[in-house]
Amino acid sequence: MPRSKLITISLFILLATLALPTAALADGIIIPEPPIPCQPWEDCQPFPIEQLNIRYHRVNVTIQDQIAVTRVDQVFHNPNDWQLEGTYIFPIPTDATVTEVTLWIDGEPVQGEVLSAEEARATYEEIVRQMIDPALLEYVGQGAVKASIFPIPPDGERRIELEYSQPLTAEGGLVKYVYPLNTEKFSVEPLENVSISVDVRSNERIRTAYSPTHRVDVVNESPNHIRAGYEDFDVKPDSDFALYYSIGEAEAFHLLSYRDPSDEDGDGFFMALLAPRPDVEPDAFPKDVILVLDKSGSMDWDGKFEQAQEALRFILRNLNDEDRFNIITFSTGIESYSDELRPAEEANEAVRWVDEQFAIGSTDINRALTEAAYMADNERPTYVIFMTDGLPTEGVTETDRILANFERSVTPNVRLFAFGVGFDVDTFLLDSLAQSHAGTSGYVLPGERLDETISAFYEKIRTPVLTDLQLNFGNITVYDLYPNPLPDLFSGSQVIVVGRYKGAGFVDVELKGVVNGQTQVFDFPEQRFAGDSRSSKDVFETLPRLWATRKIGHLLNQIRLEGPDEETIEQVVRLSIRYGIVTPYTSYLVTEPAPLGQEEQDRIAGEALDEMEAMPAAPSFGQDAVEEAAEQGAMSNAEAPSNEPMIVEGITVDEVVRNVGAHTFVFNNGVWIDTAYDPEMLTTRVAFLSDDYFELVAASPELAAAFALGDRVIALADGVAYEVVAADEDVPPVDVPEFEAPEEEGSLGESQVAAEEPVLVDSEVSVSIFDGGCFGMLGALVFLPLAVVRRRW
């Protein structure tokens, strides 16, 4: 088997194994109760919470000037041949101040009860004890709405709707909205459809929007109005949905950070969001665009050349008034629209020139790129957009020589963006060109439209506002930044930087860049790097996995382009296991016994290196090479951890690998084991459902979320490994520590709304249920299966 194919298979399996959603807060669920409570002295069989299907889950959110109204619509289906009834529970997000809650079941208002965090904890614990199922423990510390629910007949449905309002917090112009989505994991079957639509309007300009948890589509309707959407099918969501949007008139810099000082190195993770001011005038930032198009004979197949021509027409018609451009087409030879860069006012004439082109001949990539390099000057930002569907077959054809020739000819202000069309492209050449010249590479697969891909890309880079970016974080040491170097900043877009940091506290951050040939400096004072993020439930817990995703993507690209080495493979193996990121090296998370301590990781990395060095180098072209390059490129530029379900060697990944907060757990021999646990560590044993067990749950939200995985767990908190053992095991009393509380967040921005704990202003809740409806609800229903008797061993 070729070496790169082996890398793709063995490394991809681990990535597929670990790219799992992160467990977090909860929306509404229906949890069936045993008809007869299990008594402590009885040997009872656990009664599973998963008794119902959720047909679909639709969420519509409207945000007007930081007041969010969330409308949830779900349908619960009873697939059993017995009737279910119970109690609806909606856990309130920990940092939300919720007001004006309204609940309906099948269209009729239902009386609800608002529970404080302490009252809700007692309810969760009671359910856990009765059902012998710890799944609700992750919601300890949150308040809840509770309401009685009418029975659902066999094969029947209940439509539950919930509407609630909440003011949103904002600090430094960054507004956060979180929708608790993860209780859908309690559905027996995957949801047929889940969708979240967010409509944001603000009196202030909206600079940018971003989700660190899900891949969303953002549409800018106007400077003060955006829409963001997420949709998926046949899934079991188990991570919260978060959306951040930035408001204000000036340039934006937002810093998000997460740090657990008990981790192995104790260093933190951060994300920096950079957004330009929203009132940028395109003509104030002129640029040069050089379009390099392959017109060899192969481009004539499947309409590729016609699509490329349409893409060029779109770019030419959307040049800014002060831009300059030129076009180079290449096959056996090259042909240029002009000998020099031309003003945007000639775009219509250039469109006619494009219309006259046709595909014929072979492929002289070297000469075309060299011509483009000589054509650029150093007066302006210059963007070379290079499109090809084939390998070099004319002139200089050696990849290394083509790269060297371009490097010698090009000026530092040139950014190259390469697009490969189909499978017969040299991924090594395209990726190396883009990485060496501050651009990106993309692949248009068979069946995808080249014109749509190029047009959407050009819209993003149409107006550069800051180039040659540099960040200075003062006395905070930062390292392992991705992307590095930083890309240019464009109007209407954002730059998302992730990295690691040492230390903590408030610092003044400096952003330096070039505007129209002049260096400018922007200062962003009092940016906070967290010192301790433990014991807080927050979407910032996804930052370690996002950073690890990007770093692994970078390392895999490095292996592919430069060849394997021991240090790089060891990093991939270690990061994949620790943070639950699917890579081609890590099928062992599914196939090998856990825990995978340092000794096992060293063995796996060594075996992978030996196998790769023994294999011949795989070609850099073909379907496998293109798909591998596209996957690794997506990882290195990821904006959120992957939530896609995977099956590896016939095993459904989320059945054996789970991400809980910032930790990854592997299920082995009936035990969920934290991948940060090493077999040489001693464990503190605690009996399942014992008083010590619930004391630990109450003391540490981090442990509560981990214990919710099952009745046998090994989890780390504050550097201590806690092992949940069988309820009847004789274990010594546990000295429950006072876990470190997260530090104060510091002063709040002027527009921030703060509350000491989640609050529901209304003392009563209105609820209703729909028979045979098609929508769903936010909350949790605890149902009683009337036709089922408690089962004893």
Side-chain angles (χ1 to χ4, degrees):
M1 182 181 296
R3 181 174 65 185
S4 90
K5 182 67 174 178
L6 174 67
I7 296 174
T8 300
I9 293 176
S10 57
L11 272 179
F12 172 77
I13 291 177
L14 170 60
L15 281 174
T17 304
L18 290 177
L20 299 171
T22 302
L25 307 178
D27 63 329
I29 56 173
I30 296 177
I31 306 169
E33 298 176 354
I36 305 173
C38 183
Q39 302 303 320
W41 59 84
E42 296 180 312
D43 188 12
C44 304
Q45 179 178 346
F47 191 85
I49 287 177
E50 297 87 347
Q51 293 283 325
L52 298 172
N53 292 330
I54 300 173
R55 294 294 196 195
Y56 59 78
H57 185 143
R58 296 172 183 169
V59 183
N60 286 285
V61 185
T62 58
I63 302 174
Q64 178 70 55
D65 297 322
Q66 292 181 230
I67 301 297
V69 178
T70 302
R71 174 83 179 200
V72 186
D73 210 348
Q74 291 173 283
V75 164
F76 292 87
H77 169 247
N78 179 10
N80 304 294
D81 56 5
W82 57 81
Q83 183 170 273
L84 293 174
E85 71 176 42
T87 302
Y88 169 82
I89 296 177
F90 169 58
I92 302 167
T94 52
D95 59 352
T97 302
V98 179
T99 64
E100 301 180 14
V101 177
T102 306
L103 182 64
W104 301 269
I105 301 178
D106 286 351
E108 298 297 327
V110 174
Q111 187 67 42
E113 177 185 1
V114 179
L115 305 179
S116 68
E118 187 62 29
E119 291 170 330
R121 183 176 70 84
T123 298
Y124 301 146
E125 288 189 9
E126 180 183 4
I127 294 170
V128 168
R129 290 181 187 274
Q130 290 186 1
M131 304 185 74
I132 321 178
D133 188 332
L136 289 180
L137 291 179
E138 65 180 290
Y139 312 127
V140 168
Q142 299 173 227
V145 177
K146 179 180 178 181
S148 297
I149 302 300
F150 302 128
I152 301 180
D155 200 35
E157 293 180 346
R158 284 286 181 267
R159 177 186 179 185
I160 305 181
E161 299 169 280
L162 177 73
E163 181 177 294
Y164 64 95
S165 301
Q166 66 183 116
L168 302 180
T169 61
E171 188 166 11
L174 187 66
V175 183
K176 177 180 72 172
Y177 171 81
V178 176
Y179 174 73
L181 185 63
N182 80 321
T183 54
E184 301 301 15
K185 64 189 177 185
F186 294 124
S187 177
V188 177
E189 299 293 337
L191 279 66
E192 296 176 9
N193 171 249
V194 58
S195 65
I196 300 178
S197 174
V198 185
D199 188 280
V200 183
R201 300 170 192 261
S202 174
N203 286 329
E204 298 184 73
R205 287 176 178 263
I206 302 174
R207 291 177 288 206
T208 188
Y210 165 71
S211 172
T213 58
H214 293 76
R215 297 172 182 174
V216 298
D217 181 38
V218 177
V219 177
N220 296 306
E221 299 288 357
S222 74
N224 301 79
H225 179 202
I226 65 166
R227 290 186 297 109
Y230 160 75
E231 186 170 17
D232 210 341
F233 301 89
D234 194 34
V235 293
K236 276 191 177 184
D238 65 356
S239 64
D240 287 351
F241 172 87
L243 181 74
Y244 288 83
Y245 65 93
S246 175
I247 54 177
E249 301 295 332
E251 292 81 7
F253 176 91
H254 302 295
L255 184 69
L256 314 178
S257 59
Y258 176 89
R259 181 170 180 259
D260 181 351
S262 69
D263 275 351
E264 182 180 359
D265 58 19
D267 294 345
F269 303 82
F270 76 91
M271 172 193 292
L273 304 177
L274 308 175
R277 67 178 192 269
D279 57 349
V280 171
E281 293 294 334
D283 292 341
F285 301 91
K287 67 181 184 298
D288 293 339
V289 179
I290 301 175
L291 304 169
V292 183
L293 174 62
D294 184 347
K295 66 170 185 177
S296 61
S298 60
M299 283 288 288
D300 202 29
W301 300 347
D302 299 326
K304 289 183 290 187
F305 192 70
E306 288 78 6
Q307 292 177 29
Q309 288 176 302
E310 187 57 37
L312 264 58
R313 295 184 194 105
F314 177 87
I315 294 174
L316 292 168
R317 289 166 178 160
N318 286 277
L319 293 168
N320 299 328
D321 290 344
E322 299 300 317
D323 289 349
R324 300 183 302 186
F325 75 95
N326 207 344
I327 310 167
I328 300 170
T329 59
F330 65 95
S331 55
T332 306
I334 67 169
E335 185 176 359
S336 300
Y337 167 72
S338 174
D339 293 335
E340 59 184 1
L341 294 165
R342 304 303 301 161
E345 61 191 34
E346 288 189 19
N348 289 334
E349 182 178 340
V351 167
R352 289 191 290 272
W353 184 85
V354 169
D355 292 342
E356 296 171 356
Q357 300 298 305
F358 56 91
I360 190 173
S362 52
T363 311
D364 193 342
I365 290 177
N366 178 74
R367 189 177 172 192
L369 289 175
T370 304
E371 183 70 15
Y374 283 131
M375 194 172 292
D377 62 35
N378 57 8
E379 295 178 4
R380 300 176 171 186
T382 300
Y383 300 96
V384 175
I385 302 176
F386 172 55
M387 293 167 276
T388 182
D389 79 331
L391 305 171
T393 58
E394 185 76 19
V396 176
T397 58
E398 297 87 351
T399 299
D400 290 343
R401 289 183 59 192
I402 295 174
L403 292 171
N405 291 341
F406 186 74
E407 184 67 35
R408 282 195 300 268
S409 307
V410 76
T411 54
N413 62 308
V414 170
R415 311 290 188 255
L416 188 143
F417 299 91
F419 292 89
V421 185
F423 294 135
D424 294 325
V425 293
D426 186 343
T427 59
F428 182 94
L429 173 64
L430 300 187
D431 291 348
S432 298
L433 283 168
Q435 290 183 23
S436 299
H437 300 284
T440 58
S441 52
Y443 295 91
V444 183
L445 305 183
E448 298 177 346
R449 291 193 61 88
L450 174 62
D451 52 342
E452 294 176 357
T453 300
I454 300 296
S455 299
F457 160 77
Y458 179 74
E459 276 294 328
K460 295 179 181 178
I461 70 161
R462 180 175 177 177
T463 305
V465 296
L466 196 65
T467 64
D468 302 306
L469 276 63
Q470 298 179 43
L471 281 169
N472 186 323
F473 291 93
N475 60 0
I476 293 290
T477 299
V478 301
Y479 63 99
D480 269 353
L481 271 63
Y482 300 98
N484 190 17
L486 299 178
D488 294 347
L489 184 60
F490 300 94
S491 176
S493 66
Q494 61 190 351
V495 171
I496 301 173
V497 185
V498 297
R500 303 292 308 275
Y501 68 90
K502 297 179 180 293
F506 289 87
V507 298
D508 297 338
V509 177
E510 177 186 89
L511 171 64
K512 185 183 297 185
V514 176
V515 178
N516 291 332
Q518 302 295 317
T519 298
Q520 292 196 14
V521 177
F522 304 87
D523 294 316
F524 303 98
E526 292 295 302
Q527 301 296 321
R528 175 183 175 273
F529 283 91
D532 191 344
S533 305
R534 291 174 295 179
S535 302
S536 62
K537 291 183 177 181
D538 202 303
V539 293
F540 293 175
E541 293 175 337
T542 63
L543 291 183
R545 291 190 64 232
L546 177 57
W547 169 83
T549 298
R550 286 196 178 186
K551 176 159 186 174
I552 289 172
H554 169 78
L555 294 173
L556 292 179
N557 269 323
Q558 182 176 315
I559 291 171
R560 181 169 56 88
L561 299 179
E562 301 176 13
D565 63 82
E566 183 178 1
E567 180 181 354
T568 304
I569 292 177
E570 285 179 352
Q571 287 188 73
V572 172
V573 170
R574 180 176 57 83
L575 291 171
S576 300
I577 292 173
R578 175 63 182 84
Y579 298 107
I581 308 300
V582 178
T583 73
Y585 296 129
T586 49
S587 63
Y588 40 80
L589 280 172
V590 174
T591 60
E592 295 198 12
L596 295 171
Q598 185 61 51
E599 184 176 342
E600 284 298 297
Q601 294 180 35
D602 292 343
R603 176 186 63 80
I604 292 166
E607 290 177 355
L609 177 63
D610 291 342
E611 290 175 354
M612 284 188 290
E613 289 180 337
M615 293 290 179
S620 61
F621 59 92
Q623 182 172 348
D624 290 343
V626 169
E627 290 178 348
E628 182 180 20
E631 289 164 2
Q632 293 173 7
M635 288 184 67
S636 59
N637 294 290
E639 294 190 356
S642 174
N643 292 325
E644 297 182 5
M646 297 254 183
I647 296 178
V648 176
E649 298 187 12
I651 300 173
T652 302
V653 170
D654 62 5
E655 293 179 357
V656 293
V657 182
R658 297 277 177 86
N659 291 289
V660 177
H663 291 256
T664 298
F665 290 80
V666 177
F667 189 66
N668 187 265
N669 291 327
V671 183
W672 286 101
I673 303 174
D674 192 327
T675 58
Y677 168 73
D678 192 283
E680 306 215 348
M681 298 174 66
L682 297 176
T683 64
T684 298
R685 292 155 59 84
V686 55
F688 181 54
L689 300 185
S690 66
D691 291 341
D692 286 343
Y693 176 89
F694 283 107
E695 283 189 34
L696 284 169
V697 165
S700 171
E702 185 178 21
L703 283 178
F707 287 0
L709 288 170
D711 59 358
R712 296 291 309 279
V713 178
I714 297 177
L716 271 63
D718 279 6
V720 177
Y722 292 92
E723 181 178 5
V724 179
V725 299
D728 57 358
E729 283 200 34
D730 185 17
V731 298
V734 177
D735 183 14
V736 178
E738 293 185 7
F739 291 92
E740 294 288 335
E743 63 199 27
E744 294 296 325
E745 292 296 317
S747 59
L748 303 178
E750 293 181 0
S751 61
Q752 182 166 3
V753 181
E756 293 185 1
E757 65 175 86
V759 175
L760 280 170
V761 174
D762 291 357
S763 61
E764 295 183 348
V765 182
S766 180
V767 187
S768 84
I769 299 185
F770 290 71
D771 280 323
C774 300
F775 304 109
M777 123 188 227
L778 180 82
L781 292 179
V782 182
F783 272 89
L784 175 65
L786 299 181
V788 178
V789 297
R790 183 187 59 206
R791 289 163 288 184
R792 296 185 173 87
W793 295 108

